[in-house]
């Protein structure tokens, strides 16, 4: 299946914590980072997710925020350090490719944010992704 979601990183489920309707699923990415996804309990069952399951995390580029340093006091669980590989700017928006251990992410942010953060190839960044914005695909 082909998808328009560019951000797809492979990993392995390490923990599934079920709730009434939702579950948190912790995934160890092939690059060694831990990611938390909040998905429906129904999806956990339909995908057959359990410890050891191979998955791909999927994140739309518009759901990735970038910071130029570690951020404290923030509820966003997923914080992936990386390095800007390429920045492409348009009239209002920009596409920022970030290399993280084990893969690459693309963030769609405003052109003003690129300027304000001083982003260019080689810049160190932290990709921030809310757990509710991560989808999982069983492999």
């Amino acid at each position: 299946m082909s998808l328009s979601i560019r951000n797809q990183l492979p990993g392995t489920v390490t923990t599934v914590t079920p709730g009434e309707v939702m579950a948190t699923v912790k995934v160890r990415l092939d690059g060694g980072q831990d990611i938390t996804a909040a998905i429906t309990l129904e999806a956990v069952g339909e995908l057959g997710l359990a410890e050891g399951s191979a998955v791909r995390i999927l994140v739309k580029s518009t759901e990735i925020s970038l910071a130029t340093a570690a951020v404290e006091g923030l509820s966003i669980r997923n914080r992936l350090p990386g390095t800007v590989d390429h920045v492409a700017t348009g009239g209002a928006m920009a596409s920022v490719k970030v290399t993280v251990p084990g893969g690459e992410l693309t963030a769609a942010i405003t052109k003003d944010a690129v300027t304000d953060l001083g982003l260019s190839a080689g810049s160190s960044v932290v990709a921030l992704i809310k757990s509710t914005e991560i989808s999982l695909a069983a492999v």
Side-chain angles (χ1 to χ4, degrees), residues 9 23 26 29-30 35 38-39 56 70-71 88 107 112 115:
L9 297 174
K26 294 194 184 217
L29 298 179
D30 286 358
I35 291 288
I39 64 174
R56 289 187 84 71
V71 181
D112 289 344
T115 301

Side-chain angles (χ1 to χ4, degrees), residues 34-121:
D34 291 319
I35 291 288
T36 300
I39 64 174
T40 65
L41 197 55
E42 183 178 5
V44 168
E46 288 175 358
L47 294 171
L49 299 181
E51 185 177 333
S53 297
V55 295
R56 289 187 84 71
I57 69 148
L58 308 167
V59 186
K60 290 175 56 177
S61 59
T62 53
E63 301 303 333
I64 297 176
S65 297
L66 298 176
T68 55
V71 181
E72 298 300 321
L74 192 63
S75 66
I76 296 175
R77 308 308 324 144
N78 301 304
R79 305 167 190 199
L80 301 175
T83 304
V84 173
D85 183 51
H86 180 74
V87 178
T89 57
M93 296 296 292
S95 175
V96 181
K97 291 193 183 291
V98 177
T99 300
V100 298
E104 183 178 81
L105 295 172
T106 299
I109 62 175
T110 65
K111 181 176 140 182
D112 289 344
V114 168
T115 301
D116 291 349
L117 295 172
L119 298 180
S120 62

